[in-house]
Amino acid sequence: MEMALQPRRPSFCRMMLFGGTRFEIRPATQSFLWCKEFTRIRIMPPLAASSEYSRRRPRRSSIPPMKDSHPRGFAPRPQLGTGIQKKDQCDVGEKEESESASSSKYSLSSSGINERKVAGGGVKRRVDVLEEVEEKSYGEDDKDKKTFTGMSSAAADDYETDGQRAEDEEDQVGLRKQHLEVIDMIATAGKQPTASLSERKEEVLVGRDVELSKNEELGKINEHAAITESDMEESLMKQKADIDAQTHKQMLEHLADENFSSGNKVFVVPEAVKSDEVIEIFFNRSLSALVNEPDVLIKGAFNGWRWKFFTEKMHKTELQGDWWSCQLSVPKEAYKIDFVFFNGGNIYENNDSKDFSLPVEGEMDELAFEDILLKEKQWELEKRAAEEAERERKAEEQCQREAEKAASEADRAQAKVEVEKKREALHRVMKLAKSVDDVWYIEPNVFKGGDMVRLYYNRSSRPLAHATEIWIHGGHNNWIHGLSIVERLLRSEEKDGDWWYAEVVVPDHALVLDWVFANGPPQKANMYDNNNSRDFHATVPNCILGDLFWIEEEHRIYRKLQEERKLKEEAVRKKAEKTARLKAETKERTMKMFLLSQKHIVYTEPLDIRAGSMVTVFYNPSNTVLSGKPEVWFRCSFNRWTHHRGPLPPQKMVHADNASHLKVTVKVPFDAYMMDFVFSEREDGGIYDNKNGMDYHIPVSGGILKEPPMHIVHIAVEMAPIAKVGGLGDVVTSLSRAVQDLGHNVDIILPKYDCMNLSNVNDFHFRRSFGWGGTEIKVWFGKVEGLSVYFLEPSNGMFSVGCIYGRNDGDRFGFFCHAALEFLLQSGSCPDILHCHDWSSAPVAWLFKEHYMHYGLSNAQVIFTIHNLEFGVHNIGKAMAQADKATTVSHTYSKEVSGNPAISPHLFKFHGILNGIDPDIWDPFNDNFIPVSYTSENVVEGKKAAKEALQQRLGLRRSDIPLVGIISRLTVQKGIHLIKHGIWRTLDRNGQVVLLGSAPDPRIQNDFVNLANQLHSSHSDCARLCLTYDEPLSHLIYAGADFILVPSLFEPCGLTQLIAMRYGSIPVVRKTGGLYDTVFDVDKDKQRAQAQGLEPNGFSFDGADPGGVDYALNRAISAWYDGREWFNSLCKRVMEQDWSWNRPALDYMELYHAARK
């Protein structure tokens, strides 16, 4: 609703007379209705002025302002002051007003009236009027009159203020002097020229009486003056209020008539609606749809119906016509008021369906209000999160209490079982507890717990017949408390034969004594007489075998079980907390490295961008396509370019403090989760730096919105650990888990092999079946490593051949790819990304484009990853042509294969993204296959224990010498001739070597079998070749080895060197593919490592000949011998580097988004 204004000046009276007082009213600019203080009113009764009055400016008295105290919302109309308020005002006036009888000036100030018109009806307001009444002083000369009346208002006020206190004092003194003179004249009027003594005494008495009379009269006059002045002020306040009310009423009547004549339904007072103030809305019922309704209510909200809804009943006014009104408090957050009128039911007046609206003046605008809404939402989300966390905490506490109760009951039940077993065992033992006269006996033969007894033993014809010492190792109650009696026996001189004795104190609560004899104390004895493995037993004759003992024993066992369980739970809890902390710290470091990975081109301050904050972007164009351009413009948006406010206007970048970078500052909205930007040479575009089509993206934290989850489907023929042959299976599982941890939805489609290990599949069950190509295909579902996996089982038996590869693989996997797409189509799935891997699932790319892209799966984009270009080049080439984006498993390998005809035509969409390892599978702190858990903090102790365990398991000499591990498939690709040479070089340097792996080629396998036989014969204590697959042993080798040798001729990525560093083993590698991207030589690659935010972490060589292996291995082994402290610090350093999927998952998400852009 829009409002138009038609200014109109209200009528007013130029001169008004009240009794003997004159008022002059003049217009002013301040609104009469909204005036925050009363106008000063000066009042004087018509008294004669003192002689010096003409030399003083008449004094004006002030009436204190009345402050607005209405509540927020719909406020009541301002009321006149109460009696108490008036009295307080009079008290103030009495302090400020003088008691002078001189004439005074009167002035009255009243608000003027302004007019305006509102959309939906004309609205008028009073033009501000200032009424100022000045009294002309009686008896003043013309000069004094001209001097005073000619003053400006401001000068007069200053004059009054500066001299007011002096004038007040003079007025009071002058008034008292006038009254004293009058009294003196009266008192002396009757005096005689002469008088007698008695008359003079009477005169003195009369003088005294006259003096008393003067004082009394003066007091009465002062009191009367004070009362008169207070009454006059109160009277004038009432007169002013009446004038204000009458003027206000006249103004409203005029506005009502004006708007009614114009056909306007609504007007508002005042015209300029301001935030954090009160307005009054007037509505004419007779001009609306509510003309016949008895009730009128207003319903509305602020800022486009988005803020603080209100509904209030309106009241009929006294204005002529059918006008209703209501007061409304405008909040400080408002920039617009929206409202309609209704009858409390379903009849509305809504301005012809356009609603009524009023603009609000203030600091708020739509964008600022958007921020307020976002802050409110953020606060609400934080509140909900806190409440949810509290609910989860309470639920967790309840679960813990229930678990504790169940565990306690289980402990008690176990204690009962153990007591019963002990009771039965004790009864069996007691039956055997009989002394053998020629072997042992006890004196006295009647005793009880706490007694000292002497136990005799005849060693002749016993196992200890020739022992130099004899000891008793004993306990009681069938060894219930273990070893509790240890005494050395003495030779008995009283007994004939070879008798020995020991004095023993019978333990309390002992029912049976248990013992054996030995040739020494515990830990030193090596010969025993244990009664033919039955031990010796003797009953305690005077013991009381009652239920109390067994009750106490049960309680003791229960307490022991409780303590053991709690200690175990506490250890598990602490270990889990430390694991979570280490993972969080690693992820935080990786994110920081990710943000700084292109600092030579672009970075931000602060590095961690928070929603609602200001961020400065620094850009170095010298390393980009904009190098040398005179200007650089910054183009930015948020939330993957989807923010509802759209892109920000282009900003010209300015020079930063350092000469190489430009900078620009941006406000990040509260609903941002990602900051997106590119750079251009001109404001209108030109050449762009958009990171080779990927754009620049930086995550934003703390926003009220989270990135919407993406649906990714992997179609693959391998998946660890259920169907793993090589690294492909590890990548599919680990990448999927890492992306799922980022909040996205990930599914995997896999063939259901008959050789699959289903023990690692949780909740495995049949889901449905569908037909395609004349074949019924069963769909099974299960969870693997927390991932949703769909298993396709065709009835034609294609995947029931006992293996993953090796049976007409092209046809089988082609059928699988087509079936996977058909399953997605028939199930109604709408994935965002279809990710296929290597030649085996490459057909997904072209089958999708040819058969499914326009038939229900149109939202999907195809990502194709090459794991090894050595296999299936034809399929790889077709997939490269059809895929939206393509990747391989390291940056260097992508350059190495870029010249391949299958790759070279598609380099614009080909990217290298490094593989990672699963930190939960390869975790030395939680590895059950190694003897001691360790982190970088205790890597030396952990690896020492692992090395000793490895040496012991494989039969190697237990010695602190360098140990080189080799874990590899034995193929030509892995550099088998370099592996052999590395084994002999290690042995030449007095080291140990362990190899774990097998060869798919029987000839290579036999070759290594012969080498193993040779080494096990010539170097049995230093070399061991395990030519098989052994998962637990691989963990022990990674932990126990000092070095891991990886001399591959080519390596797309390689996981071996990454796992080695995870366990603190130093990689020795050939510079190729992913090995070059992950291993930085300690002597040559310091700068290259720093460019990646890393430190050197291993040893490397270039050539593919034995000399290269020698160069790297010699330096590595020498470092172990010559600088153990430095070497240990290197082990700690490599453990702290993050080679997990944290960083690759972020890179893949960038690629997924770029494919969908």
Side-chain angles (χ1 to χ4, degrees):
M1 183 186 74
E2 298 180 353
M3 298 186 176
L5 303 182
Q6 298 177 355
R8 172 167 178 162
R9 183 179 301 275
S11 59
F12 57 87
C13 180
R14 181 68 181 171
M15 293 292 294
M16 302 178 67
L17 296 178
F18 299 92
T21 306
R22 291 181 298 161
F23 289 85
E24 181 176 351
I25 304 175
R26 293 187 300 189
T29 58
Q30 185 177 8
S31 170
F32 176 74
L33 180 60
W34 306 109
C35 182
K36 294 187 176 178
E37 62 180 27
F38 287 105
T39 309
R40 295 179 179 177
I41 302 175
R42 289 177 287 122
I43 307 162
M44 287 298 295
L47 298 177
S50 62
S51 60
E52 66 271 25
Y53 174 78
S54 62
R55 294 190 298 273
R56 300 197 310 270
R57 182 186 185 280
R59 176 184 48 79
R60 288 189 282 179
S61 62
S62 298
I63 298 179
M66 295 179 64
K67 295 184 179 179
D68 187 3
S69 61
H70 60 269
R72 290 191 175 271
F74 286 86
R77 296 171 182 254
Q79 302 295 323
L80 294 177
T82 63
I84 296 176
Q85 292 171 334
K86 293 177 180 178
K87 183 179 183 304
D88 293 339
Q89 294 164 356
C90 290
D91 292 341
V92 173
E94 288 174 3
K95 293 178 181 179
E96 295 181 353
E97 295 289 347
S98 75
E99 297 173 351
S100 173
S102 60
S103 61
S104 67
K105 203 178 243 190
Y106 297 77
S107 67
L108 176 62
S109 172
S110 161
S111 300
I113 304 169
N114 286 339
E115 303 173 357
R116 73 172 177 174
K117 189 170 183 178
V118 185
V123 179
K124 297 204 171 181
R125 194 179 71 168
R126 299 169 301 164
V127 177
D128 294 335
V129 176
L130 174 64
E131 297 176 346
E132 180 174 327
V133 181
E134 297 181 356
E135 180 191 14
K136 307 297 182 181
S137 303
Y138 299 110
E140 279 188 352
D141 56 28
D142 292 340
K143 182 178 180 180
D144 288 338
K145 289 180 182 179
K146 291 179 181 179
T147 300
F148 178 72
T149 58
M151 287 185 179
S152 66
S153 176
D157 286 342
D158 292 340
Y159 178 79
E160 176 188 18
T161 302
D162 295 337
Q164 183 145 357
R165 182 174 297 176
E167 292 174 5
D168 290 345
E169 293 175 356
E170 291 174 5
D171 287 346
Q172 293 173 5
V173 172
L175 185 61
R176 291 188 177 92
K177 289 174 66 177
Q178 290 177 2
H179 285 290
L180 288 175
E181 290 174 358
V182 172
I183 293 172
D184 285 330
M185 291 173 62
I186 296 173
T188 57
K191 282 189 176 180
Q192 300 296 329
T194 58
S196 61
L197 180 60
S198 61
E199 289 176 343
R200 293 184 64 84
K201 289 181 179 179
E202 291 177 0
E203 184 177 333
V204 171
L205 293 175
V206 170
R208 289 178 180 177
D209 292 341
V210 170
E211 185 67 25
L212 292 175
S213 177
K214 286 182 181 180
N215 293 338
E216 291 175 358
E217 187 66 20
L218 181 60
K220 291 179 180 180
I221 292 174
N222 290 339
E223 181 178 359
H224 176 72
I227 294 174
T228 301
E229 185 173 354
S230 173
D231 291 343
M232 291 178 67
E233 287 186 3
E234 184 174 352
S235 175
L236 283 175
M237 287 177 60
K238 183 177 179 180
Q239 292 173 7
K240 181 183 181 300
D242 292 342
I243 295 171
D244 287 350
Q246 184 64 27
T247 305
H248 181 59
K249 183 177 179 181
Q250 291 175 358
M251 179 270 297
L252 293 180
E253 288 177 349
H254 176 76
L255 289 177
D257 293 342
E258 182 82 11
N259 281 278
F260 182 79
S261 300
S262 302
N264 297 323
K265 305 182 184 77
V266 178
F267 69 89
V268 63
V269 176
E271 172 195 8
V273 179
K274 296 182 179 180
S275 60
D276 208 22
E277 290 188 357
V278 176
I279 64 171
E280 189 168 8
I281 298 176
F282 291 84
F283 171 66
N284 194 303
R285 183 179 61 172
S286 64
L287 299 177
S288 73
L290 306 180
V291 60
N292 297 319
E293 300 300 322
D295 296 321
V296 177
L297 291 86
I298 185 173
K299 176 188 292 186
F302 300 92
N303 303 348
W305 297 94
R306 294 185 295 171
W307 185 256
K308 293 187 177 180
F309 285 81
F310 58 83
T311 300
E312 192 70 18
K313 189 172 183 179
M314 302 189 77
H315 303 280
K316 195 171 188 314
T317 68
E318 297 179 356
L319 300 175
Q320 292 182 359
D322 197 8
W323 289 99
W324 298 63
S325 73
C326 185
Q327 287 188 334
L328 175 66
S329 180
V330 182
K332 62 183 180 181
E333 302 89 353
Y335 66 85
K336 187 173 71 168
I337 309 173
D338 308 280
F339 54 94
V340 296
F341 304 95
F342 72 118
N343 66 341
N346 56 2
I347 300 178
Y348 282 80
E349 171 56 54
N350 58 8
N351 193 26
D352 296 330
S353 300
K354 294 181 292 186
D355 297 343
F356 298 92
S357 65
L358 288 170
V360 177
E361 297 179 2
E363 298 180 356
M364 190 62 56
D365 57 22
E366 186 171 0
L367 292 180
F369 179 68
E370 288 286 346
D371 286 343
I372 289 179
L373 290 181
L374 293 175
K375 288 180 181 179
E376 288 280 325
K377 188 172 182 179
Q378 185 177 35
W379 177 84
E380 182 65 24
L381 290 175
E382 291 173 353
K383 180 181 178 182
R384 291 180 183 176
E387 292 173 351
E388 181 64 23
E390 180 65 16
R391 284 193 296 270
E392 291 178 356
R393 184 189 65 80
K394 291 181 178 179
E396 179 66 22
E397 289 179 351
Q398 180 64 25
C399 290
Q400 290 178 355
R401 286 192 293 268
E402 294 175 357
E404 175 65 24
K405 182 179 179 181
S408 179
E409 293 174 354
D411 291 341
R412 194 172 296 280
Q414 185 177 348
K416 289 181 180 294
V417 171
E418 291 189 13
V419 162
E420 190 61 30
K421 289 180 179 179
K422 290 185 177 183
R423 198 169 192 172
E424 294 175 358
L426 185 60
H427 283 301
R428 289 195 300 269
V429 168
M430 291 179 69
K431 294 178 181 179
L432 302 174
K434 296 180 181 179
S435 63
V436 181
D437 293 339
D438 58 344
V439 179
W440 68 271
Y441 67 92
I442 295 177
E443 289 184 351
N445 57 4
V446 178
F447 54 88
K448 64 181 184 301
D451 291 351
M452 175 78 75
V453 299
R454 181 172 289 187
L455 190 153
Y456 288 89
Y457 169 64
N458 186 356
R459 73 172 182 175
S460 61
S461 303
R462 303 298 296 179
L464 300 179
H466 302 289
T468 58
E469 294 182 6
I470 300 177
W471 289 71
I472 180 174
H473 300 175
H476 65 284
N477 296 347
N478 198 25
W479 302 97
I480 193 170
H481 295 302
L483 190 65
S484 59
I485 300 172
V486 178
E487 295 290 344
R488 182 175 180 178
L489 277 69
L490 303 176
R491 190 179 185 89
S492 175
E493 303 295 339
E494 301 175 358
K495 301 286 184 179
D496 295 332
D498 199 6
W499 287 92
W500 297 67
Y501 73 90
E503 292 183 343
V504 176
V505 176
V506 180
D508 294 334
H509 306 295
L511 306 178
V512 176
L513 296 178
D514 317 294
W515 73 91
V516 297
F517 297 106
N519 66 344
Q523 282 81 44
K524 292 185 178 181
N526 56 14
M527 187 177 295
Y528 293 88
D529 181 358
N530 59 7
N531 194 22
N532 296 321
S533 300
R534 294 176 297 178
D535 298 343
F536 296 95
H537 306 280
T539 59
V540 180
N542 288 346
C543 70
I544 301 176
L545 188 61
D547 292 337
L548 180 61
F549 169 80
W550 295 111
I551 292 173
E552 292 177 352
E553 181 63 16
E554 179 183 329
H555 189 60
R556 185 192 67 79
I557 295 174
Y558 169 73
R559 289 199 308 270
K560 181 181 178 182
L561 292 173
Q562 287 275 89
E563 292 173 359
E564 291 175 350
R565 179 177 56 80
K566 289 181 178 179
L567 287 174
K568 185 177 180 180
E569 290 175 351
E570 180 67 14
V572 170
R573 184 187 63 80
K574 287 184 177 180
K575 194 167 188 177
E577 289 178 352
K578 185 172 183 178
T579 300
R581 177 177 58 81
L582 292 174
K583 290 180 68 174
E585 291 173 353
T586 300
K587 185 170 287 189
E588 183 179 354
R589 289 197 304 269
T590 301
M591 177 57 73
K592 186 175 181 179
M593 287 177 56
F594 175 75
L595 297 177
L596 290 173
S597 60
Q598 296 194 68
K599 189 173 183 180
H600 61 292
I601 297 177
V602 64
Y603 67 96
T604 64
E605 287 184 0
L607 194 62
D608 179 19
I609 301 178
R610 301 283 299 179
S613 67
M614 302 296 294
V615 59
T616 301
V617 179
F618 293 87
Y619 176 64
N620 184 359
S622 61
N623 297 315
T624 72
V625 295
L626 299 182
S627 177
K629 299 298 180 181
E631 293 182 355
V632 174
W633 289 77
F634 179 77
R635 316 175 90 88
C636 175
S637 187
F638 300 92
N639 301 351
R640 305 284 181 184
W641 303 98
T642 64
H643 195 267
H644 64 92
R645 294 183 186 174
L648 301 180
Q651 297 185 62
K652 184 178 178 181
M653 303 191 76
V654 299
H655 287 282
D657 294 336
N658 55 3
S660 60
H661 283 74
L662 304 173
K663 69 176 181 178
V664 68
T665 300
V666 179
K667 172 68 179 295
V668 182
F670 285 95
D671 56 350
Y673 56 80
M674 188 69 65
M675 184 175 179
D676 321 294
F677 51 92
V678 297
F679 305 93
S680 66
E681 63 173 332
R682 299 194 307 269
E683 183 178 6
D684 59 349
I687 298 176
Y688 281 86
D689 173 15
N690 59 7
K691 198 181 175 183
N692 297 321
M694 300 284 286
D695 298 343
Y696 293 92
H697 304 281
I698 299 180
V700 176
S701 60
I704 64 172
L705 296 182
K706 303 300 180 184
E707 185 170 8
M710 194 179 290
H711 184 197
I712 300 107
V713 176
H714 289 268
I715 300 176
V717 300
E718 289 189 45
M719 181 184 184
I722 59 174
K724 174 185 173 182
V725 175
L728 169 60
D730 292 315
V731 170
V732 170
T733 301
S734 300
L735 172 59
S736 299
R737 289 184 60 188
V739 170
Q740 184 169 271
D741 288 344
L742 293 176
H744 301 282
N745 303 320
V746 182
D747 295 327
I748 298 170
I749 302 178
L750 196 71
K752 185 180 180 296
Y753 303 105
D754 59 349
C755 59
M756 185 178 293
N757 181 11
L758 295 177
S759 62
N760 292 312
V761 183
N762 297 321
D763 191 28
F764 184 71
H765 63 276
F766 173 76
R767 176 64 66 91
R768 54 168 294 191
S769 64
F770 67 96
W772 176 78
T775 302
E776 181 188 12
I777 301 172
K778 294 181 179 179
V779 181
W780 301 78
F781 176 82
K783 289 281 189 176
V784 180
E785 301 289 334
L787 297 166
S788 297
V789 183
Y790 295 90
F791 303 88
L792 303 187
E793 182 184 18
S795 60
N796 57 21
M798 277 191 170
F799 300 106
S800 300
V801 294
C803 60
I804 295 177
Y805 297 104
R807 298 290 191 275
N808 195 16
D809 296 338
D811 292 340
R812 291 193 306 135
F813 294 144
F815 177 89
F816 162 70
C817 293
H818 213 145
L821 292 171
E822 189 68 23
F823 164 65
L824 291 173
L825 178 64
Q826 293 194 28
S827 63
S829 179
C830 297
D832 299 301
I833 296 294
L834 291 174
H835 198 151
C836 49
H837 300 264
D838 246 348
W839 69 270
S840 52
S841 61
V844 168
W846 68 80
L847 290 173
F848 170 77
K849 293 295 178 71
E850 293 173 359
H851 300 285
Y852 294 93
M853 180 176 175
H854 304 293
Y855 301 97
L857 297 178
S858 58
N859 290 334
Q861 302 294 310
V862 177
I863 307 297
F864 175 58
T865 296
I866 302 172
H867 297 263
N868 194 331
L869 192 57
E870 291 298 303
F871 305 98
V873 176
H874 175 70
N875 281 6
I876 289 175
K878 289 183 67 176
M880 285 292 299
Q882 297 296 330
D884 297 291
K885 294 287 183 180
T887 71
T888 191
V889 292
S890 71
H891 179 66
T892 297
Y893 186 66
S894 71
K895 293 191 294 184
E896 291 173 350
V897 301
S898 62
N900 190 292
I903 306 296
S904 56
H906 314 290
L907 293 179
F908 66 94
K909 59 181 176 183
F910 189 51
H911 305 268
I913 298 179
L914 197 67
N915 280 344
I917 59 173
D918 193 321
D920 293 331
I921 297 174
W922 302 104
D923 181 9
F925 187 61
N926 292 283
D927 197 327
N928 296 325
F929 298 133
I930 62 177
V932 175
S933 299
Y934 64 94
T935 66
S936 62
E937 298 170 355
N938 62 328
V939 58
V940 176
E941 294 80 5
K943 290 189 69 65
K944 180 181 179 181
K947 179 186 283 189
E948 293 174 353
L950 178 62
Q951 291 170 334
Q952 181 179 2
R953 174 172 174 175
L954 298 181
L956 302 177
R957 182 175 76 250
R958 299 185 64 178
S959 177
D960 186 21
I961 57 178
L963 194 155
V964 176
I966 303 170
I967 303 174
S968 174
R969 287 184 297 113
L970 301 177
T971 64
V972 175
Q973 174 201 341
K974 300 298 181 181
I976 53 178
H977 69 292
L978 300 179
I979 291 176
K980 292 177 182 179
H981 183 80
I983 292 173
W984 291 110
R985 170 51 53 183
T986 302
L987 296 176
D988 290 344
R989 293 297 307 271
N990 297 320
Q992 292 179 329
V993 62
V994 174
L995 181 146
L996 175 64
S998 61
D1001 187 335
R1003 293 172 299 178
I1004 298 176
Q1005 182 76 6
N1006 291 333
D1007 189 22
F1008 272 90
V1009 168
N1010 294 331
L1011 178 62
N1013 293 333
Q1014 179 185 355
L1015 291 173
H1016 296 169
S1017 174
S1018 61
H1019 297 80
S1020 60
D1021 61 344
C1022 292
R1024 193 69 75 240
L1025 274 61
C1026 303
L1027 303 178
T1028 184
Y1029 175 77
D1030 189 328
E1031 182 76 13
L1033 180 58
S1034 69
H1035 287 246
L1036 190 58
I1037 294 173
Y1038 280 123
D1042 297 299
F1043 306 98
I1044 295 293
L1045 177 62
V1046 190
S1048 302
L1049 298 182
F1050 70 92
E1051 192 65 69
C1053 176
L1055 300 180
T1056 302
Q1057 79 281 10
L1058 306 182
I1059 300 172
M1061 289 187 282
R1062 173 72 168 157
Y1063 281 76
S1065 297
I1066 307 305
V1068 180
V1069 306
R1070 182 174 176 273
K1071 293 181 179 180
T1072 182
L1075 299 176
Y1076 179 78
D1077 290 344
T1078 55
V1079 178
F1080 303 90
D1081 194 277
V1082 296
D1083 296 320
K1084 295 185 176 182
D1085 290 333
K1086 185 174 182 180
Q1087 290 185 348
R1088 189 167 68 90
Q1090 288 178 345
Q1092 300 296 322
L1094 298 169
E1095 293 184 69
N1097 54 11
F1099 299 86
S1100 60
F1101 62 96
D1102 290 302
D1105 57 90
V1109 176
D1110 290 345
Y1111 171 72
L1113 267 180
N1114 285 336
R1115 289 187 295 128
I1117 294 174
S1118 296
W1120 190 95
Y1121 279 120
D1122 300 338
R1124 290 297 296 276
E1125 185 175 348
W1126 174 87
F1127 181 81
N1128 292 337
S1129 68
L1130 181 61
C1131 295
K1132 182 177 187 297
R1133 178 194 305 169
V1134 300
M1135 282 197 73
E1136 292 174 346
Q1137 293 179 351
D1138 182 16
W1139 299 107
S1140 71
W1141 279 94
N1142 289 334
R1143 171 63 184 273
L1146 296 173
D1147 292 333
Y1148 267 105
M1149 289 309 305
E1150 288 293 300
L1151 186 76
Y1152 292 160
H1153 283 290
R1156 298 188 66 219
K1157 187 178 69 171

